Each structure stands twice: as C-alpha cells, then as structure tokens.
Amino acid sequence: MSNRIQIFDTTLRDGEQVPGCQLNREEKVEVALQLELLGVDIIEAGFPISSPGDFASVQAICDAVKEPTICALTRAKKEDIDAAVAALKTARKPRIHTGIGSSDVHIKHKFNSTREEIIERGVWAVKYAKSFVEDVEFFAEDAGRADLAFLAQLTREVIKAGATVVNLPDTTGYLLPHVMHERIKYLYENVDNIHQATISMHNHNDLGLATANTIAGIQAGARQVEVTINGIGERAGNTSLEEIAMILNVHKDLGFTTGIKPKYLYPTSTLVSNLMGMHVQPNKAVVGANAFAHSSGIHQDGFLKHAQNYEIMNPEDVGVSSSAILLTSRSGRAALRHRLTLLGFDFEKPELDKIYTRFLLMADERKMIHDEDLKELIG
Ligand code: KIV
Ligand code: ZN
C-alpha cells in the first residue's frame, strides 16, 4: 500500500457551512487557487444542488483550477447527482462525492429506513454517479457510530458498485483514537475488495479528537484525509489541514508523505481567516498567533540558548516570519536583554538588574510590554 496521503480539502464545502463564513464566488475561487498553490490533491468545491450560488462557484472553480481534482457533494439522489455532473462539466479531474447515513440512529431517525434499503440506495447512487464520471467517492455518514459488520457490508457493496474512494466520517466526533484504529483495521481484515478503493478519514472535532482520530485512521490503512484550513467546520469543526500536514512532516518516522508545501500553510490560514471573518485562536497549533511565541522566563532563556529547546518546527517552514519573544511579568532577564539588544541598547549587569526591577513593575501593570514601553522604561 502506498504511503502517500491524499489531502482532500473541504474548506469550501464543510468549512463554509459555518454560520457567517459564507464566501462569494470570487472569494471561493481565490481560496481554491491558494489551495492549489498549497498542494492539496482534491478540492471539495461545494454542494451544487444547495443553491444557485454554490452551483456557480463549483463551475468557476472548475474553470480556474488546473491540478487538483475538483469534487462536488451530493446526497444519494438523482437531482443532486445531476446538478453535480452539470457543475463539474469543465473540471479536468471531476469527482462526485455521494452518500447516505450509515448508523442506526441516522437510518431510523433521519431516513426512516432499513439497513438493506440504505445499501440499495448507496449502491444505486454510486452506479448512477459512475455513469457520468470515473472518480466516485461514497460517504457513509456517521460511520463512527455505525454497526461495524454493517459498515463492512456497505463498504464492500459500494466498492463493488464502482466507488473509487470510501469515506468513513466520524460525523459527530464521537470516536476515541484507539477505537478508530480498531474499526479501520477491522474493515481491512473483513472487506475482501477493500484494496480496490482508497479509504478516507473525515473527522469532526466535537471532543477535540479529530486530528488524533485522523492519524489513527491513517495508521490503520486510510490513505485520504478530509480536512479544512484552520479546522473550520460544523460545530467544533473538522480536522485541521495544517495539523495533519505538519504531524506527517515532523514525524517522518511514521513514513507518510503528502503533497503539501508547508511554507504556504500560514498564508493560506490568514487568507481563509480574513475572507471568512473567522479568527484563529491564538493557541491554535501551527498557525495560531502564539504557536511560535515564547513568554515565560524559563522557556525564553532556553529558546534563546537554542531554538530547538522549545520548538519542534521552524516558523519559516510554515510561512511564519520568525519566532516571537513576548515580554510579560513572567519574562526573565535573558528575554529583556535580548529585546533591548534588538533595540540597540547594551547594558551591563548592575544597570540591567535595575531596569529589570522597573520592568517587572511595569509588566504587572500593563500585562504585555512592547518596544514603546521599553523605550519609556529606559528613557
Ligand atoms: O461529516 C460528514 O459526515 C460529512 C459528509 C457529508 C461527508 O460532512
Ligand atoms: Zn463533515
């Protein structure tokens, strides 16, 4: 089995569903072109049946983007698939992503159906989509809570019907990483034709486990991951692209590769955040404002002695200009001296000690000390 992980970005579909995050057609094309630059393999451009605007955006993305596969979402319904086929008409590499609920709770309370009928409808949708495009991805919604033997049967049947990718979403962000691993392993051991398709991870973050579950799925055999920039998405969001990309990059020992060019991670994060008006939490891994900022005295001293004491990635590698040393009342003399040196001041120890005492008083009062404050302090 190949160890190249396909990066399927769903920022423009699952991410864009977040209230207040809707983008217009030009903005979606801008994001899609940035995703192409970043090196994603598949862009889920939208859900064409959902609105005329989404339909037109999928069309515009097909015209603008050259390299990645362009994917459109559908339910297991004729009118959805017809709309996706029409929207994807000019895509160089089109993919239809169709599917249906797979857990008993969805089968009963969403579809008022039976397991047998769900398999029938799923197989029908794959075959119908396959009559238009070669590349058909099937999603078994809420696979995380589905009966495992039933999920194996559904997976086998949709692959037999021609699915090239089978997506097993943890739609409600319910699973624990070791359980995800066991479930994917079970499918590899119990679905005889599973190697004819790529297994995909699509995990939501309701318990903060989306990234961990996605890595567990990869380790059990999944070779596609469905992710969003900044982890945006329904409720607590989706698996974040930048986290998966950098986990696989930092942990080369795992032996997996992607096509992501890390230097575009931070610029892409900023673009999506600005266009959607969705702030990135400061402590967000990889792209948060504090991801490469050091504020406590012990950490600052260690970092100034050698960056690797407290950093496992270089900020420049992910497109962040440099690490930051923040001056607060938790900072030590080493950080204060470092900042003063950058400002062109060089104080001997006794003088530095006096400045440091005044600095602590000021920092207790102002919380964060900026260059202007320092100039005032030594003034
Ligand atoms: O979370 C989910 O199950 C989805 C599917 C529509 C793929 O977004
Ligand atoms: Zn989803």
Side-chain angles (χ1 to χ4, degrees), residues 164-187:
T164 43
V165 180
V166 180
N167 174 17
L168 302 169
D170 185 17
T171 305
T172 55
Y174 170 73
L175 292 178
L176 295 168
H178 73 282
V179 179
M180 175 65 86
H181 190 279
E182 283 163 12
R183 288 172 71 86
I184 301 299
K185 187 164 171 274
Y186 172 92
L187 294 176

PDB file of all heavy atoms in Angstrom, residues 164-187:
ATOM      1  N   THR A 164     -14.474   4.633  -6.011  1.00  0.00           N
ATOM      2  CA  THR A 164     -13.006   4.658  -6.026  1.00  0.00           C
ATOM      3  C   THR A 164     -12.457   5.026  -4.642  1.00  0.00           C
ATOM      4  O   THR A 164     -11.328   4.699  -4.298  1.00  0.00           O
ATOM      5  CB  THR A 164     -12.506   5.696  -7.057  1.00  0.00           C
ATOM      6  OG1 THR A 164     -13.302   6.880  -6.922  1.00  0.00           O
ATOM      7  CG2 THR A 164     -12.607   5.183  -8.466  1.00  0.00           C
ATOM      8  N   VAL A 165     -13.303   5.746  -3.883  1.00  0.00           N
ATOM      9  CA  VAL A 165     -12.921   6.155  -2.525  1.00  0.00           C
ATOM     10  C   VAL A 165     -14.116   5.883  -1.616  1.00  0.00           C
ATOM     11  O   VAL A 165     -15.264   6.136  -2.013  1.00  0.00           O
ATOM     12  CB  VAL A 165     -12.594   7.667  -2.471  1.00  0.00           C
ATOM     13  CG1 VAL A 165     -12.189   8.100  -1.065  1.00  0.00           C
ATOM     14  CG2 VAL A 165     -11.502   8.033  -3.473  1.00  0.00           C
ATOM     15  N   VAL A 166     -13.855   5.346  -0.424  1.00  0.00           N
ATOM     16  CA  VAL A 166     -14.934   5.196   0.561  1.00  0.00           C
ATOM     17  C   VAL A 166     -14.569   6.044   1.779  1.00  0.00           C
ATOM     18  O   VAL A 166     -13.535   5.830   2.423  1.00  0.00           O
ATOM     19  CB  VAL A 166     -15.169   3.726   0.967  1.00  0.00           C
ATOM     20  CG1 VAL A 166     -16.307   3.640   1.991  1.00  0.00           C
ATOM     21  CG2 VAL A 166     -15.505   2.878  -0.255  1.00  0.00           C
ATOM     22  N   ASN A 167     -15.432   7.020   2.048  1.00  0.00           N
ATOM     23  CA  ASN A 167     -15.227   7.958   3.143  1.00  0.00           C
ATOM     24  C   ASN A 167     -16.025   7.470   4.351  1.00  0.00           C
ATOM     25  O   ASN A 167     -17.231   7.221   4.242  1.00  0.00           O
ATOM     26  CB  ASN A 167     -15.710   9.341   2.661  1.00  0.00           C
ATOM     27  CG  ASN A 167     -15.697  10.395   3.744  1.00  0.00           C
ATOM     28  OD1 ASN A 167     -15.058  10.234   4.775  1.00  0.00           O
ATOM     29  ND2 ASN A 167     -16.404  11.486   3.494  1.00  0.00           N
ATOM     30  N   LEU A 168     -15.341   7.325   5.495  1.00  0.00           N
ATOM     31  CA  LEU A 168     -15.999   6.782   6.695  1.00  0.00           C
ATOM     32  C   LEU A 168     -16.025   7.865   7.771  1.00  0.00           C
ATOM     33  O   LEU A 168     -15.240   7.843   8.727  1.00  0.00           O
ATOM     34  CB  LEU A 168     -15.227   5.549   7.172  1.00  0.00           C
ATOM     35  CG  LEU A 168     -15.126   4.436   6.115  1.00  0.00           C
ATOM     36  CD1 LEU A 168     -14.131   3.381   6.540  1.00  0.00           C
ATOM     37  CD2 LEU A 168     -16.496   3.815   5.858  1.00  0.00           C
ATOM     38  N   PRO A 169     -16.913   8.841   7.643  1.00  0.00           N
ATOM     39  CA  PRO A 169     -16.854  10.005   8.537  1.00  0.00           C
ATOM     40  C   PRO A 169     -17.223   9.689   9.983  1.00  0.00           C
ATOM     41  O   PRO A 169     -18.152   8.929  10.243  1.00  0.00           O
ATOM     42  CB  PRO A 169     -17.901  10.965   7.961  1.00  0.00           C
ATOM     43  CG  PRO A 169     -18.305  10.407   6.648  1.00  0.00           C
ATOM     44  CD  PRO A 169     -18.027   8.942   6.692  1.00  0.00           C
ATOM     45  N   ASP A 170     -16.474  10.312  10.891  1.00  0.00           N
ATOM     46  CA  ASP A 170     -16.917  10.355  12.279  1.00  0.00           C
ATOM     47  C   ASP A 170     -17.664  11.691  12.378  1.00  0.00           C
ATOM     48  O   ASP A 170     -17.145  12.687  12.898  1.00  0.00           O
ATOM     49  CB  ASP A 170     -15.725  10.289  13.231  1.00  0.00           C
ATOM     50  CG  ASP A 170     -16.178  10.207  14.693  1.00  0.00           C
ATOM     51  OD1 ASP A 170     -17.364   9.880  14.927  1.00  0.00           O
ATOM     52  OD2 ASP A 170     -15.363  10.489  15.584  1.00  0.00           O
ATOM     53  N   THR A 171     -18.874  11.682  11.873  1.00  0.00           N
ATOM     54  CA  THR A 171     -19.665  12.898  11.685  1.00  0.00           C
ATOM     55  C   THR A 171     -19.913  13.652  12.983  1.00  0.00           C
ATOM     56  O   THR A 171     -20.010  14.881  13.000  1.00  0.00           O
ATOM     57  CB  THR A 171     -21.009  12.502  11.030  1.00  0.00           C
ATOM     58  OG1 THR A 171     -20.714  11.773   9.834  1.00  0.00           O
ATOM     59  CG2 THR A 171     -21.875  13.699  10.706  1.00  0.00           C
ATOM     60  N   THR A 172     -20.029  12.914  14.079  1.00  0.00           N
ATOM     61  CA  THR A 172     -20.347  13.550  15.357  1.00  0.00           C
ATOM     62  C   THR A 172     -19.121  13.678  16.272  1.00  0.00           C
ATOM     63  O   THR A 172     -19.261  14.053  17.439  1.00  0.00           O
ATOM     64  CB  THR A 172     -21.442  12.750  16.094  1.00  0.00           C
ATOM     65  OG1 THR A 172     -20.987  11.394  16.208  1.00  0.00           O
ATOM     66  CG2 THR A 172     -22.760  12.786  15.342  1.00  0.00           C
ATOM     67  N   GLY A 173     -17.955  13.357  15.752  1.00  0.00           N
ATOM     68  CA  GLY A 173     -16.725  13.495  16.551  1.00  0.00           C
ATOM     69  C   GLY A 173     -16.757  12.654  17.809  1.00  0.00           C
ATOM     70  O   GLY A 173     -16.293  13.080  18.872  1.00  0.00           O
ATOM     71  N   TYR A 174     -17.239  11.433  17.688  1.00  0.00           N
ATOM     72  CA  TYR A 174     -17.542  10.584  18.853  1.00  0.00           C
ATOM     73  C   TYR A 174     -16.406   9.624  19.228  1.00  0.00           C
ATOM     74  O   TYR A 174     -16.186   9.332  20.396  1.00  0.00           O
ATOM     75  CB  TYR A 174     -18.813   9.794  18.510  1.00  0.00           C
ATOM     76  CG  TYR A 174     -19.152   8.691  19.467  1.00  0.00           C
ATOM     77  CD1 TYR A 174     -19.646   8.977  20.735  1.00  0.00           C
ATOM     78  CD2 TYR A 174     -18.983   7.350  19.097  1.00  0.00           C
ATOM     79  CE1 TYR A 174     -19.963   7.947  21.619  1.00  0.00           C
ATOM     80  CE2 TYR A 174     -19.301   6.327  19.970  1.00  0.00           C
ATOM     81  CZ  TYR A 174     -19.781   6.632  21.231  1.00  0.00           C
ATOM     82  OH  TYR A 174     -20.087   5.631  22.094  1.00  0.00           O
ATOM     83  N   LEU A 175     -15.678   9.161  18.231  1.00  0.00           N
ATOM     84  CA  LEU A 175     -14.743   8.058  18.480  1.00  0.00           C
ATOM     85  C   LEU A 175     -13.487   8.474  19.246  1.00  0.00           C
ATOM     86  O   LEU A 175     -13.078   9.628  19.215  1.00  0.00           O
ATOM     87  CB  LEU A 175     -14.300   7.444  17.142  1.00  0.00           C
ATOM     88  CG  LEU A 175     -15.376   6.697  16.354  1.00  0.00           C
ATOM     89  CD1 LEU A 175     -14.789   6.187  15.042  1.00  0.00           C
ATOM     90  CD2 LEU A 175     -15.954   5.541  17.159  1.00  0.00           C
ATOM     91  N   LEU A 176     -12.880   7.475  19.885  1.00  0.00           N
ATOM     92  CA  LEU A 176     -11.564   7.633  20.503  1.00  0.00           C
ATOM     93  C   LEU A 176     -10.518   7.097  19.512  1.00  0.00           C
ATOM     94  O   LEU A 176     -10.822   6.178  18.735  1.00  0.00           O
ATOM     95  CB  LEU A 176     -11.487   6.837  21.803  1.00  0.00           C
ATOM     96  CG  LEU A 176     -12.431   7.332  22.905  1.00  0.00           C
ATOM     97  CD1 LEU A 176     -12.500   6.322  24.043  1.00  0.00           C
ATOM     98  CD2 LEU A 176     -11.971   8.685  23.417  1.00  0.00           C
ATOM     99  N   PRO A 177      -9.303   7.660  19.541  1.00  0.00           N
ATOM    100  CA  PRO A 177      -8.311   7.246  18.533  1.00  0.00           C
ATOM    101  C   PRO A 177      -8.079   5.729  18.464  1.00  0.00           C
ATOM    102  O   PRO A 177      -8.008   5.166  17.365  1.00  0.00           O
ATOM    103  CB  PRO A 177      -7.048   7.997  18.959  1.00  0.00           C
ATOM    104  CG  PRO A 177      -7.573   9.217  19.652  1.00  0.00           C
ATOM    105  CD  PRO A 177      -8.829   8.787  20.364  1.00  0.00           C
ATOM    106  N   HIS A 178      -7.970   5.053  19.621  1.00  0.00           N
ATOM    107  CA  HIS A 178      -7.677   3.619  19.525  1.00  0.00           C
ATOM    108  C   HIS A 178      -8.867   2.849  18.951  1.00  0.00           C
ATOM    109  O   HIS A 178      -8.699   1.832  18.279  1.00  0.00           O
ATOM    110  CB  HIS A 178      -7.235   3.046  20.890  1.00  0.00           C
ATOM    111  CG  HIS A 178      -8.333   2.891  21.887  1.00  0.00           C
ATOM    112  ND1 HIS A 178      -8.839   3.952  22.611  1.00  0.00           N
ATOM    113  CD2 HIS A 178      -9.056   1.807  22.278  1.00  0.00           C
ATOM    114  CE1 HIS A 178      -9.805   3.516  23.413  1.00  0.00           C
ATOM    115  NE2 HIS A 178      -9.952   2.219  23.222  1.00  0.00           N
ATOM    116  N   VAL A 179     -10.072   3.376  19.169  1.00  0.00           N
ATOM    117  CA  VAL A 179     -11.260   2.708  18.605  1.00  0.00           C
ATOM    118  C   VAL A 179     -11.303   2.933  17.092  1.00  0.00           C
ATOM    119  O   VAL A 179     -11.619   2.021  16.314  1.00  0.00           O
ATOM    120  CB  VAL A 179     -12.561   3.215  19.286  1.00  0.00           C
ATOM    121  CG1 VAL A 179     -13.783   2.534  18.692  1.00  0.00           C
ATOM    122  CG2 VAL A 179     -12.473   2.999  20.793  1.00  0.00           C
ATOM    123  N   MET A 180     -10.975   4.153  16.668  1.00  0.00           N
ATOM    124  CA  MET A 180     -10.902   4.431  15.221  1.00  0.00           C
ATOM    125  C   MET A 180      -9.931   3.441  14.574  1.00  0.00           C
ATOM    126  O   MET A 180     -10.206   2.852  13.531  1.00  0.00           O
ATOM    127  CB  MET A 180     -10.446   5.878  14.989  1.00  0.00           C
ATOM    128  CG  MET A 180     -10.218   6.213  13.543  1.00  0.00           C
ATOM    129  SD  MET A 180     -11.734   6.138  12.583  1.00  0.00           S
ATOM    130  CE  MET A 180     -12.373   7.783  12.871  1.00  0.00           C
ATOM    131  N   HIS A 181      -8.778   3.277  15.204  1.00  0.00           N
ATOM    132  CA  HIS A 181      -7.766   2.383  14.648  1.00  0.00           C
ATOM    133  C   HIS A 181      -8.318   0.960  14.524  1.00  0.00           C
ATOM    134  O   HIS A 181      -8.201   0.315  13.475  1.00  0.00           O
ATOM    135  CB  HIS A 181      -6.507   2.409  15.527  1.00  0.00           C
ATOM    136  CG  HIS A 181      -5.342   1.706  14.907  1.00  0.00           C
ATOM    137  ND1 HIS A 181      -5.181   0.340  14.951  1.00  0.00           N
ATOM    138  CD2 HIS A 181      -4.297   2.186  14.183  1.00  0.00           C
ATOM    139  CE1 HIS A 181      -4.083   0.007  14.307  1.00  0.00           C
ATOM    140  NE2 HIS A 181      -3.528   1.103  13.831  1.00  0.00           N
ATOM    141  N   GLU A 182      -8.976   0.497  15.596  1.00  0.00           N
ATOM    142  CA  GLU A 182      -9.512  -0.876  15.574  1.00  0.00           C
ATOM    143  C   GLU A 182     -10.560  -1.046  14.482  1.00  0.00           C
ATOM    144  O   GLU A 182     -10.636  -2.072  13.815  1.00  0.00           O
ATOM    145  CB  GLU A 182     -10.183  -1.200  16.927  1.00  0.00           C
ATOM    146  CG  GLU A 182      -9.202  -1.517  18.041  1.00  0.00           C
ATOM    147  CD  GLU A 182      -9.854  -1.419  19.428  1.00  0.00           C
ATOM    148  OE1 GLU A 182     -11.104  -1.322  19.520  1.00  0.00           O
ATOM    149  OE2 GLU A 182      -9.090  -1.419  20.415  1.00  0.00           O
ATOM    150  N   ARG A 183     -11.405  -0.011  14.322  1.00  0.00           N
ATOM    151  CA  ARG A 183     -12.508  -0.111  13.341  1.00  0.00           C
ATOM    152  C   ARG A 183     -11.964  -0.147  11.898  1.00  0.00           C
ATOM    153  O   ARG A 183     -12.419  -0.944  11.075  1.00  0.00           O
ATOM    154  CB  ARG A 183     -13.499   1.053  13.526  1.00  0.00           C
ATOM    155  CG  ARG A 183     -14.342   0.895  14.791  1.00  0.00           C
ATOM    156  CD  ARG A 183     -15.170   2.138  15.060  1.00  0.00           C
ATOM    157  NE  ARG A 183     -16.261   2.338  14.120  1.00  0.00           N
ATOM    158  CZ  ARG A 183     -17.484   1.812  14.219  1.00  0.00           C
ATOM    159  NH1 ARG A 183     -17.771   1.014  15.238  1.00  0.00           N
ATOM    160  NH2 ARG A 183     -18.408   2.069  13.325  1.00  0.00           N
ATOM    161  N   ILE A 184     -10.990   0.696  11.614  1.00  0.00           N
ATOM    162  CA  ILE A 184     -10.445   0.704  10.245  1.00  0.00           C
ATOM    163  C   ILE A 184      -9.690  -0.612   9.982  1.00  0.00           C
ATOM    164  O   ILE A 184      -9.793  -1.212   8.908  1.00  0.00           O
ATOM    165  CB  ILE A 184      -9.521   1.933  10.018  1.00  0.00           C
ATOM    166  CG1 ILE A 184     -10.300   3.243  10.251  1.00  0.00           C
ATOM    167  CG2 ILE A 184      -8.915   1.920   8.612  1.00  0.00           C
ATOM    168  CD1 ILE A 184     -11.481   3.477   9.335  1.00  0.00           C
ATOM    169  N   LYS A 185      -8.980  -1.067  11.009  1.00  0.00           N
ATOM    170  CA  LYS A 185      -8.255  -2.338  10.878  1.00  0.00           C
ATOM    171  C   LYS A 185      -9.251  -3.481  10.609  1.00  0.00           C
ATOM    172  O   LYS A 185      -9.033  -4.324   9.746  1.00  0.00           O
ATOM    173  CB  LYS A 185      -7.482  -2.588  12.178  1.00  0.00           C
ATOM    174  CG  LYS A 185      -6.540  -3.758  12.160  1.00  0.00           C
ATOM    175  CD  LYS A 185      -5.568  -3.654  13.334  1.00  0.00           C
ATOM    176  CE  LYS A 185      -4.737  -4.904  13.488  1.00  0.00           C
ATOM    177  NZ  LYS A 185      -5.381  -5.939  14.294  1.00  0.00           N
ATOM    178  N   TYR A 186     -10.359  -3.458  11.347  1.00  0.00           N
ATOM    179  CA  TYR A 186     -11.397  -4.484  11.152  1.00  0.00           C
ATOM    180  C   TYR A 186     -11.874  -4.484   9.698  1.00  0.00           C
ATOM    181  O   TYR A 186     -12.025  -5.540   9.066  1.00  0.00           O
ATOM    182  CB  TYR A 186     -12.579  -4.201  12.094  1.00  0.00           C
ATOM    183  CG  TYR A 186     -13.790  -5.090  11.848  1.00  0.00           C
ATOM    184  CD1 TYR A 186     -13.960  -6.290  12.545  1.00  0.00           C
ATOM    185  CD2 TYR A 186     -14.765  -4.736  10.911  1.00  0.00           C
ATOM    186  CE1 TYR A 186     -15.067  -7.105  12.305  1.00  0.00           C
ATOM    187  CE2 TYR A 186     -15.871  -5.531  10.669  1.00  0.00           C
ATOM    188  CZ  TYR A 186     -16.017  -6.717  11.370  1.00  0.00           C
ATOM    189  OH  TYR A 186     -17.104  -7.529  11.126  1.00  0.00           O
ATOM    190  N   LEU A 187     -12.097  -3.282   9.153  1.00  0.00           N
ATOM    191  CA  LEU A 187     -12.583  -3.207   7.772  1.00  0.00           C
ATOM    192  C   LEU A 187     -11.535  -3.770   6.804  1.00  0.00           C
ATOM    193  O   LEU A 187     -11.871  -4.501   5.874  1.00  0.00           O
ATOM    194  CB  LEU A 187     -12.951  -1.767   7.402  1.00  0.00           C
ATOM    195  CG  LEU A 187     -14.143  -1.192   8.184  1.00  0.00           C
ATOM    196  CD1 LEU A 187     -14.378   0.261   7.816  1.00  0.00           C
ATOM    197  CD2 LEU A 187     -15.415  -2.006   7.939  1.00  0.00           C
TER     198      LEU A 187
END
